[in-house]
């Protein structure tokens, strides 16, 4: 593991690191906030934060303002990158496909499949790596995300009920099979058969696997320009009613899709996760 940077923040340590991933076949960067409670080696719970389209690990690390509350609660926050990157990694000229747009799935189509294995990277390889290098209690994990990362958090949690104690999301893409962003990415990464897409659609997975034990927290800004065409939170809310999944969907007047919105409610999400992690 290569340390890119480390600084003290609210008594804990905010670091950015790089390692070679055998899953994505490239160098991957991620950030870790180690709370003060863990600096002496005590193992603490972990919350994974998955970012959205065009983002790296830096967006949440520098803009979300989670370090203060993470230090208070004693939570480790890990922010992975959103895709494989590098000169040898397939890419696309558009912002919503290729590097910066991994969609947290395992691609099966050329030219994406050799690197774009983000589901396995997030669920398997990176947790195993974090467990070796950081003081974390891997029996206490929760997951959250924003937009494309909200899609990732929901789908990963629904398929791994025994791994994550809770899940939450800001402005998630709840049904990629039903929106332009999702249809474009799923076609490219998984092929033209819509039946293969259902494996990465939160609404479909909830119907297939049933509810999780914890309440799902979702925050959505009502001035979000992507609300109607891409996000469609009512689809997931309806699926939750059908499958008797406990959900808190909070819709906020005036808030958009930006990190100003995320920073406004990040504390609520960490307190939500903390009650299940403890």
């Amino acid at each position: 593991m290569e340390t890119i940077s480390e600084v003290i923040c609210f008594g804990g340590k905010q670091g950015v690191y790089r390692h070679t991933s055998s899953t994505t076949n490239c160098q991957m960067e991620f950030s870790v906030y180690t709370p003060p409670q863990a600096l002496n080696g005590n193992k603490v719970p972990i919350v994974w934060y998955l970012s959205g389209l065009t983002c790296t690990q830096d967006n949440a690390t520098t803009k979300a303002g989670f370090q203060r509350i993470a230090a208070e609660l004693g939570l480790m926050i890990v922010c992975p990158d959103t895709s494989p990157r590098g000169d040898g990694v397939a890419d696309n000229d558009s912002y919503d496909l290729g590097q910066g747009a991994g969609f947290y799935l395992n691609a099966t189509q050329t030219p994406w499949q050799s690197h774009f294995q983000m589901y396995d990277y997030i669920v398997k390889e990176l947790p195993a790596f974090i467990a070796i290098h950081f003081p974390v209690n891997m029996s206490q994990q929760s997951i959250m995300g924003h937009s494309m990362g909200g899609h990732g958090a929901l789908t990963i949690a629904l398929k791994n009920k025994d791994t994550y104690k809770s899940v939450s999301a800001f402005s998630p893409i709840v049904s990629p099979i039903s929106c332009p962003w999702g249809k474009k990415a799923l076609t490219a990464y998984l092929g033209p058969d819509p039946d293969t897409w259902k494996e990465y659609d939160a609404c479909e997975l909830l119907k297939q696997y049933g509810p999780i034990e914890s309440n799902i927290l979702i925050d959505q800004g009502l001035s979000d320009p992507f609300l109607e065409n891409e996000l469609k939170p009512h689809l997931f809310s309806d699926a939750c009613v059908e499958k008797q999944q406990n959900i808190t969907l909070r819709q906020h007047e005036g808030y958009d899709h930006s990190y100003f919105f995320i920073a406004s409610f990040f504390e609520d999400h960490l307190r939500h996760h903390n009650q299940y992690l403890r």
Side-chain angles (χ1 to χ4, degrees):
M1 180 177 70
E2 176 187 354
T3 299
I4 297 174
S5 65
E6 288 184 332
V7 295
I8 299 299
C9 184
F10 292 102
K13 183 183 293 183
Q14 179 62 67
V16 179
Y17 309 93
R18 180 185 295 121
H19 76 127
T20 300
S21 168
S22 60
T23 302
T24 63
N25 294 308
C26 65
Q27 294 278 300
M28 297 292 292
E29 294 185 3
F30 59 93
S31 77
V32 178
Y33 180 71
T34 303
Q37 297 86 341
L39 292 183
N40 60 2
N42 289 329
K43 292 187 176 182
V44 296
I46 182 172
V47 177
W48 300 90
Y49 178 88
L50 307 183
S51 293
L53 288 167
T54 75
C55 292
T56 70
Q57 72 284 345
D58 287 335
N59 295 75
T61 305
T62 60
K63 296 179 180 180
F66 56 72
Q67 289 85 356
R68 178 188 61 82
I69 187 63
E72 176 190 325
L73 299 176
L75 299 175
M76 180 174 291
I77 312 296
V78 178
C79 302
D81 201 350
T82 56
S83 78
R85 296 182 192 270
D87 293 339
V89 177
D91 202 4
N92 189 276
D93 290 338
S94 58
Y95 75 95
D96 53 358
L97 188 67
Q99 296 186 37
F103 270 84
Y104 304 102
L105 51 74
N106 290 335
T108 61
Q109 303 298 301
T110 303
W112 310 105
Q113 76 272 30
S114 59
H115 296 283
F116 282 72
Q117 302 295 313
M118 286 299 293
Y119 178 87
D120 280 352
Y121 177 71
I122 297 297
V123 174
K124 299 176 182 179
E125 184 180 16
L126 187 56
F129 188 82
I130 293 292
I132 293 172
H133 293 280
F134 296 90
V136 61
N137 183 346
M138 298 304 290
S139 68
Q140 294 178 300
Q141 300 184 66
S142 290
I143 191 166
M144 61 185 295
H146 170 233
S147 194
M148 178 186 72
H151 141 77
L154 290 171
T155 55
I156 287 171
L158 287 166
K159 290 200 283 187
N160 297 274
K161 296 180 183 180
D162 294 336
T163 300
Y164 304 96
K165 300 294 186 182
S166 56
V167 59
S168 71
F170 297 100
S171 316
I173 303 171
V174 299
S175 183
I177 69 175
S178 305
C179 72
W181 278 341
K183 290 177 181 178
K184 178 179 180 178
L186 296 176
T187 300
Y189 295 141
L190 302 177
D193 182 1
D195 284 340
T196 66
W197 304 352
K198 294 179 180 180
E199 184 180 356
Y200 298 104
D201 185 286
C203 295
E204 294 295 329
L205 290 172
L206 182 57
K207 296 174 185 177
Q208 178 180 351
Y209 292 107
I212 61 175
E213 291 187 8
S214 63
N215 183 60
I216 297 174
L217 173 62
I218 293 178
D219 277 310
Q220 175 64 60
L222 292 178
S223 293
D224 190 322
F226 307 112
L227 177 59
E228 298 299 328
N229 289 334
E230 304 286 3
L231 306 178
K232 306 182 180 183
H234 66 279
L235 296 179
F236 190 67
S237 180
D238 291 345
C240 287
V241 171
E242 178 184 340
K243 301 304 292 187
Q244 297 183 313
Q245 169 66 58
N246 291 326
I247 181 174
T248 300
L249 172 59
R250 307 192 303 185
Q251 302 182 81
H252 304 273
E253 293 286 351
Y255 286 91
D256 63 4
H257 200 71
S258 72
Y259 269 86
F260 295 109
F261 168 54
I262 295 169
S264 299
F265 300 103
F266 211 115
E267 178 173 347
D268 293 351
H269 283 245
L270 290 189
R271 293 196 183 279
H272 166 80
H273 293 302
N274 190 59
Q275 67 179 326
Y276 294 104
L277 292 168
R278 304 299 178 181

